[in-house]
Amino acid sequence: MKRYNPSEIEPKWQRIWADDARYRADNESTKPKYYITGMFPYPSGAGMHAGHFMEHSIVDAVARFRRSLGYEVLYPMGWDSFGLPAENYAIKTGKTPQETTATNIANFKNQLQRVGASIDWSREINTTDPEYYRWTQWIFTKLFERGLAYQKDSLQWWCPKDKTVLANEQVIGGRCWRCEEVVVKKPMKQWFFKITEYADQLLEDIPALDWPEKIKSAQINWIGRSEGAEITFQIAEQLESGASEENITVFSTRPDTIFGATFLVLAPEHSLARHLAVGDARSAVLAYIDEAVKKSDIERTNDNKDKTGVFTGSYAINPATGEKVPIWIADYVLGGYGTGAVMAVPAHDERDFAFAEKFELPIIKVVERPETDSGVDSCYHGEGVLVNSGAFNGTRSEDAREQIVAWLEQEGRGTPKVTYKMRDWLISRQRYWGAPIPIIHCPEHGAVPVPARDLPVLLPEVRDFQPRGDGKSVLAAQEQWIQTTCPVCGGPARRETDTMDGYACSSWYLLRYTDPHNNEQAWDPTVTNYWAPLDMYVGGDHATAHLLYVRFWTHVFRDLGLTDFAEPVHKLVYHGLIQAEDGRKMSKSLGNVVDPLEVIDAGYGADALRTFELFLGPIDENSSWSSRGIAGVYRFLNRLWTLVQEFDDWRNDSQAVESTAVTHLDSVVHATIKKVTGDIHRLSFNTAIASLMECVNDLYKLKTQGFSNDWQQALEKLIQLVQPFAPHMAAELWQQLGHNDQLDFVDWPQWDDAKIISDTRVVVVQVNGKLRATLEVAQEISDTDIKQLALDDDNVRRYVKTEPKKIIIVKGKLINIVV
RNA sequence: GCGCGAGUGGCGGAAUUGGUAGACGCGAGGGACUUAAAAUCCCUUGACCAAAAGUCGUGCGGGUUCGAUUCCCGCCUUGCGCACCA
């Protein structure tokens, strides 16, 4: 009898799987395909912790399950390896990002191999590989040609001391988060992807996605579609300083409240803001604008609720009432949303109300609060009947919405309009470690995309990664690299020196996996249409960033004729986090990280680790690591192992006697097959593993009757069921029971309902819904007989003294006697 | 503030369509084996009651139903996402 020793059997099987490239996916297969993977990792220096392994435990279990069901499974892996951490690490250590990235990838790959993930390594990809980013760049040029990649001047945060651009989140209280220098805003020309053009399509496709509600609603929220109208307010006075416009256009979702619009508010960034400042107010307005523009968005929203603003001295005409209304500037209006200007209706909008109260502006009620509404606030934002609204008095606000817009449209003062919260995707990065934007700036022809034949635009190797300080990436110092010729006219031209956001690289990798070695094109549509879209995509991050971008790009690919499908992922599995044993997030700085290789090497092995991660709880909820819990799972695997050893010893013992007393063996095993199969289908791994444990416990009890030859098949089936969770042990035991074939591809066991059913069943007897007895009755018993048996039961009789009013029978399960 | 989840023993969790609440695991208690310990195996384990019988029990308060962890209404707590988006 062999002891269970994972440190011996796991390397053995990992070697076998690697040697015969067992998990290579075949493009030409005649089997049905199943394409599954997890979100590819960023290969950091820290390596993966036990929490990261959750994703691979899920993907590998499903991949192995699907293989057994007869699918051709594609489970690839790759590396999202461009990005800031590698670059910062390079600055600190003097190593190049190329070197550190290679080291980290080797480490990650080793970790994945040591858990026995059934990955097709022949399809490994790496976003920093020029053969990969060549096509990222090619896609950029395609977007550019379609008008979906464009340049725009926008304000960026700039730290004069660190000489670098900062993200909004890196500006705290107007100061740099690193050196606390006061930051300034600097206008910079940046590259954007026009995701807003796909806002409606991305929104419309959401209901049909087999994705968690949580993610779907996060995306709906993020896109933030609002239906309303743009309404034009004429400026009352002639503007002195030659402003380009004489009108102010506002966006409103409540055009029905226009009769209550008692003032206008413009964002400080509004193009007319300075021009409107007249008379005594002028200097105060200009000061306010300067101050507001300096504040970060975070400050402007977090300083919150306490409204600030200034009156410009100018007025506009409310197109509905004809009244003059004052024009204010206030930073509670956002420059980047709608038109950057709003009509303020203080009676029916809380923000406008707070502002009006503070600055003593008129408040006119135009929607009557229904009597059924119990609220008493002086500001009411619900629906109701219009008042103080001229010809529209008495109209319901829902109806008035359309009627008023129609009327304004007739007058040439308004038009229906849909607006989105989502902004275009800013993809320029002034950092080194990214894919160069494949654009050549020609004095004659402007921004020209690099032709496909000249791709990739290689990232030059440099020595100094420190950002230079003039708002450009270190590539701007590579004068030789920059100088080139215009692809259109052949004249001298200069390369774009910004790199692309890493999210660009990860927006198409799922398609590259299907055809990773293609050096003629990004992918062959025939191959890609065979594998993609993904049947299952597993991850626990990026609800609105990556998962929105990858949908956006795939929609574009479809429109370009590069794919047949617009949605890249059929089913999304969004798993929870595994927190540390102390209930906090696992992190290096907290010192609570569980290293998976240490767990494996401590003797538990990869099988116990994987099984435990899936046993912790439902995969979509957070859970906490438990060093005691993994011992419990290890105990279970050990019990299964021992059981097979004991059977094997019996089998090989020539003196062994076959027991004739064995009962229920089939019933136990077939019930387990049924339960485990159903549970894996619905991704309820914790209950699948629980029923495997239950099955082993039951077999220990049956074992006391002695073994028989029937046990061979029973144990084989059990081993097959365990395989998705503990593949090394399963392979070893399979071999020990006399098989030389590959367990991975052996058909998943079938159950037979007839074998599960026993001669008797348990029926619960309730009186008035309370449990009073349980009866063991024959399988085929009639309702009449059940009723009689129930009523004859001693304990039931104590509660049923009179003729029952009603008797409810749930076939084969329960009888409830109502008295 | 808005949106989406969640709340069940000492702990992680189960109950798939409204039908025995607490599967499975951890922990705890007891026993077997052992010189002893570890490991292993067996039994017990929601609360109250000596126990049978029973009563109570799924965040709180109502409701629908023969029957509610499950459905409905109103709260509380908590996680996540968005957040002055007009």
Side-chain angles (χ1 to χ4, degrees):
Chain A
M1 175 155 139
K2 283 197 288 182
R3 265 192 60 229
Y4 175 44
N5 185 0
S7 64
E8 192 182 300
I9 61 171
E10 290 179 357
K12 168 186 156 189
W13 286 99
Q14 285 162 16
R15 223 173 299 121
I16 292 172
W17 296 334
D19 286 351
D20 65 4
R22 175 133 357 152
Y23 304 115
R24 188 167 289 186
D26 181 3
N27 288 350
E28 313 288 320
S29 174
T30 54
K31 297 181 192 172
K33 67 96 185 178
Y34 196 88
Y35 178 14
I36 177 171
T37 194
M39 292 178 185
F40 69 163
Y42 179 85
S44 71
M48 282 182 271
H49 60 59
H52 295 125
F53 272 43
M54 181 74 177
E55 183 174 299
H56 306 289
S57 302
I58 296 167
V59 174
D60 199 47
V62 175
R64 289 176 181 277
F65 178 58
R66 288 283 164 177
R67 265 184 218 108
S68 287
L69 289 177
Y71 288 84
E72 183 68 23
V73 170
L74 170 57
Y75 172 15
M77 185 48 56
W79 316 105
D80 183 19
S81 40
F82 270 135
L84 262 176
E87 191 181 325
N88 286 338
Y89 188 73
I91 292 169
K92 213 168 71 187
T93 61
K95 288 181 183 159
T96 66
Q98 283 85 349
E99 287 167 345
T100 58
T101 299
T103 313
N104 293 345
I105 286 176
N107 179 33
F108 270 61
K109 191 169 176 178
N110 175 51
Q111 286 188 312
L112 285 174
Q113 285 170 332
R114 292 214 46 203
V115 286
S118 58
I119 291 165
D120 177 357
W121 287 107
S122 74
R123 292 170 186 258
E124 181 178 357
I125 60 178
N126 174 353
T127 57
T128 59
D129 179 350
E131 267 309 299
Y132 181 89
Y133 69 69
R134 172 185 179 184
W135 302 109
T136 310
Q137 291 172 333
W138 178 78
I139 293 164
F140 181 101
T141 64
K142 288 285 143 194
L143 291 175
F144 181 84
E145 284 164 13
R146 259 185 112 83
L148 294 171
Y150 67 96
Q151 287 183 95
K152 181 173 82 178
D153 267 314
S154 64
L155 289 171
Q156 290 295 305
W157 291 114
W158 178 256
C159 174
K161 193 171 170 193
D162 280 355
K163 294 175 181 167
T164 180
V165 175
L166 296 172
N168 234 330
E169 308 79 50
Q170 296 166 329
V171 179
I172 297 155
R175 290 166 185 275
C176 172
W177 65 326
R178 289 283 181 240
C179 67
E180 299 193 3
E181 184 79 10
V182 175
V183 298
V184 294
K185 261 190 176 170
K186 203 170 171 175
M188 290 173 70
K189 210 170 192 183
Q190 303 284 296
W191 283 95
F192 290 84
F193 286 148
K194 211 175 197 171
I195 189 170
T196 52
E197 191 161 313
Y198 281 78
D200 259 328
Q201 280 192 52
L202 291 171
L203 192 61
E204 277 165 23
D205 285 356
I206 289 174
L209 295 174
D210 185 6
W211 288 23
E213 223 33 65
K214 196 167 117 181
I215 307 302
K216 296 212 267 188
S217 79
Q219 293 209 346
I220 291 168
N221 242 308
W222 183 266
I223 295 170
R225 184 180 199 272
S226 294
E227 279 184 41
E230 281 190 356
I231 302 168
T232 304
F233 284 62
Q234 203 161 32
I235 298 167
E237 303 86 359
Q238 194 71 33
L239 288 187
E240 34 191 79
S241 47
S244 53
E245 303 268 342
E246 292 159 10
N247 297 317
I248 294 170
T249 301
V250 301
F251 173 73
S252 175
T253 54
R254 292 296 301 271
D256 49 305
T257 62
I258 190 167
F259 286 86
T262 53
F263 56 101
L264 295 188
V265 188
L266 308 195
E269 296 88 351
H270 196 282
S271 60
L272 285 178
R274 287 169 200 272
H275 299 294
L276 290 164
V278 294
D280 304 344
R282 187 165 179 86
S283 60
V285 172
L286 297 183
Y288 181 81
I289 293 173
D290 288 342
E291 188 61 31
V293 168
K294 210 185 284 179
K295 280 202 237 168
S296 74
D297 289 358
I298 291 169
E299 275 180 289
R300 273 167 66 165
T301 58
N302 279 5
D303 286 355
N304 235 332
K305 317 313 162 203
D306 193 25
K307 302 269 182 292
T308 62
V310 280
F311 174 48
T312 58
S314 298
Y315 292 85
I317 309 292
N318 181 324
T321 61
E323 299 279 327
K324 263 174 76 171
V325 295
I327 305 171
W328 286 67
I329 309 286
D331 68 3
Y332 82 89
V333 173
L334 305 174
Y337 179 77
T339 61
V342 302
M343 64 176 206
V345 185
H348 304 292
D349 181 281
E350 279 166 38
R351 297 151 303 183
D352 298 342
F353 181 77
F355 195 79
E357 283 232 298
K358 179 161 176 185
F359 295 103
E360 296 179 344
L361 292 159
I363 299 170
I364 299 174
K365 179 168 83 172
V366 291
V367 178
E368 197 67 66
R369 184 193 293 269
E371 280 170 22
T372 49
D373 186 294
S374 55
V376 288
D377 307 332
S378 31
C379 176
Y380 170 67
H381 61 258
E383 305 289 355
V385 172
L386 262 56
V387 294
N388 296 324
S389 297
F392 298 94
N393 282 341
T395 314
R396 291 199 52 78
S397 50
E398 301 96 309
D399 304 330
R401 213 114 75 209
E402 267 181 50
Q403 294 172 19
I404 287 179
V405 175
W407 169 63
L408 287 170
E409 204 166 11
Q410 230 170 34
E411 304 279 308
R413 294 171 186 280
T415 166
K417 175 81 180 172
V418 174
T419 302
Y420 303 90
K421 284 188 207 172
M422 184 169 68
R423 311 291 154 82
D424 278 340
W425 171 13
L426 192 163
I427 54 112
S428 318
R429 293 293 179 270
Q430 290 76 43
R431 299 297 295 236
Y432 169 73
W433 194 231
I437 291 175
I439 288 287
I440 291 168
H441 297 282
C442 170
E444 190 79 12
H445 298 97
V448 178
V450 175
R453 62 173 185 277
D454 295 337
L455 295 175
V457 177
L458 283 174
L459 187 62
E461 295 203 10
V462 302
R463 291 232 179 83
D464 183 9
F465 308 101
Q466 192 76 45
R468 289 200 322 175
D470 53 3
K472 292 177 181 166
S473 82
V474 293
L475 295 181
Q478 305 297 309
E479 192 53 35
Q480 268 206 311
W481 177 82
I482 289 170
Q483 286 180 20
T484 183
T485 53
C486 171
V488 180
C489 62
R494 298 175 67 78
R495 290 192 188 281
E496 169 67 49
T497 56
D498 281 352
T499 55
M500 268 189 262
D501 179 8
Y503 278 121
C505 304
S506 56
S507 292
W508 71 283
Y509 81 108
L510 295 170
L511 304 184
R512 184 65 179 178
Y513 276 146
T514 63
D515 194 12
H517 306 298
N518 196 327
N519 48 25
E520 302 288 317
Q521 48 191 335
W523 60 82
D524 176 350
T526 320
V527 176
T528 301
N529 288 331
Y530 167 69
W531 286 114
L534 271 83
D535 297 278
M536 190 181 289
Y537 190 35
V538 181
D541 202 359
H542 310 296
T544 49
H546 164 61
L547 287 172
L548 204 50
Y549 296 146
V550 73
R551 294 185 58 221
F552 163 47
W553 274 31
T554 312
H555 274 80
V556 176
F557 298 152
R558 195 267 319 265
D559 291 349
L560 286 167
L562 297 169
T563 61
D564 285 350
F565 50 89
E567 287 296 339
V569 173
H570 172 67
K571 183 179 180 64
L572 174 74
V573 174
Y574 205 76
H575 60 78
L577 299 172
I578 296 184
Q579 291 148 338
E581 198 143 14
D582 57 15
R584 295 185 296 180
K585 210 175 157 181
M586 275 192 204
S587 98
K588 218 174 169 183
S589 59
L590 290 172
N592 56 9
V593 169
V594 177
D595 180 344
L597 296 191
E598 272 177 29
V599 174
I600 292 172
D601 291 337
Y604 289 121
D607 283 340
L609 174 66
R610 299 161 51 121
T611 309
F612 173 61
E613 298 220 338
L614 297 179
F615 183 62
L616 267 171
I619 55 169
D620 52 356
E621 276 165 39
N622 289 351
S623 41
S624 293
W625 182 262
S626 156
S627 47
R628 289 218 156 106
I630 191 167
V633 170
Y634 177 81
R635 215 166 286 161
F636 151 68
L637 292 177
N638 207 6
R639 274 162 71 80
L640 172 58
W641 175 272
T642 306
L643 186 63
V644 176
Q645 300 311 313
E646 286 177 8
F647 170 74
D648 196 38
D649 288 350
W650 174 84
R651 195 176 67 128
N652 292 321
D653 179 357
S654 52
Q655 317 247 303
V657 182
E658 182 164 13
S659 168
T660 51
V662 179
T663 55
H664 304 307
L665 187 63
D666 273 351
S667 162
V668 165
V669 171
H670 282 253
T672 306
I673 297 171
K674 183 175 186 172
K675 176 86 170 95
V676 170
T677 307
D679 282 354
I680 298 180
H681 270 298
R682 64 187 180 104
L683 306 178
S684 180
F685 301 114
N686 57 333
T687 55
I689 294 162
S691 55
L692 288 168
M693 289 171 167
E694 214 174 339
C695 180
V696 169
N697 292 344
D698 287 344
L699 293 184
Y700 264 70
K701 292 198 180 85
L702 290 181
K703 186 182 75 169
T704 58
Q705 304 171 355
F707 286 114
S708 73
N709 287 320
D710 294 343
W711 278 72
Q712 172 88 20
Q713 273 219 355
L715 289 173
E716 282 174 2
K717 284 179 174 146
L718 185 55
I719 288 162
Q720 285 184 272
L721 296 180
V722 164
Q723 198 243 144
F725 309 113
H728 309 86
M729 171 191 266
E732 182 71 20
L733 293 178
W734 187 252
Q735 193 179 51
Q736 192 178 354
L737 287 180
H739 295 276
N740 289 315
D741 52 352
Q742 301 175 347
L743 175 59
D744 312 273
F745 299 96
V746 172
D747 286 344
W748 190 254
Q750 303 281 313
W751 73 89
D752 180 354
D753 278 325
K755 291 195 168 159
I756 298 172
I757 294 166
S758 65
D759 297 343
T760 60
R761 64 169 72 206
V762 173
V763 171
V764 171
V765 186
Q766 294 180 339
V767 179
N768 288 338
K770 284 193 188 298
L771 175 69
R772 296 303 176 191
T774 54
L775 302 173
E776 194 170 353
V777 299
Q779 203 59 246
E780 300 300 328
I781 194 165
S782 73
D783 283 2
T784 332
D785 290 347
I786 286 230
K787 219 182 278 182
Q788 203 50 55
L789 276 172
L791 288 169
D792 285 350
D793 183 274
D794 283 347
N795 202 37
V796 171
R797 282 220 295 246
R798 293 173 50 195
Y799 295 91
V800 185
K801 302 281 192 201
T802 56
E803 188 60 22
K805 285 184 194 138
K806 199 172 170 186
I807 294 179
I808 289 136
I809 297 179
V810 181
K811 205 87 185 132
K813 262 190 182 165
L814 175 143
I815 169 165
N816 189 11
I817 302 163
V818 186
V819 291

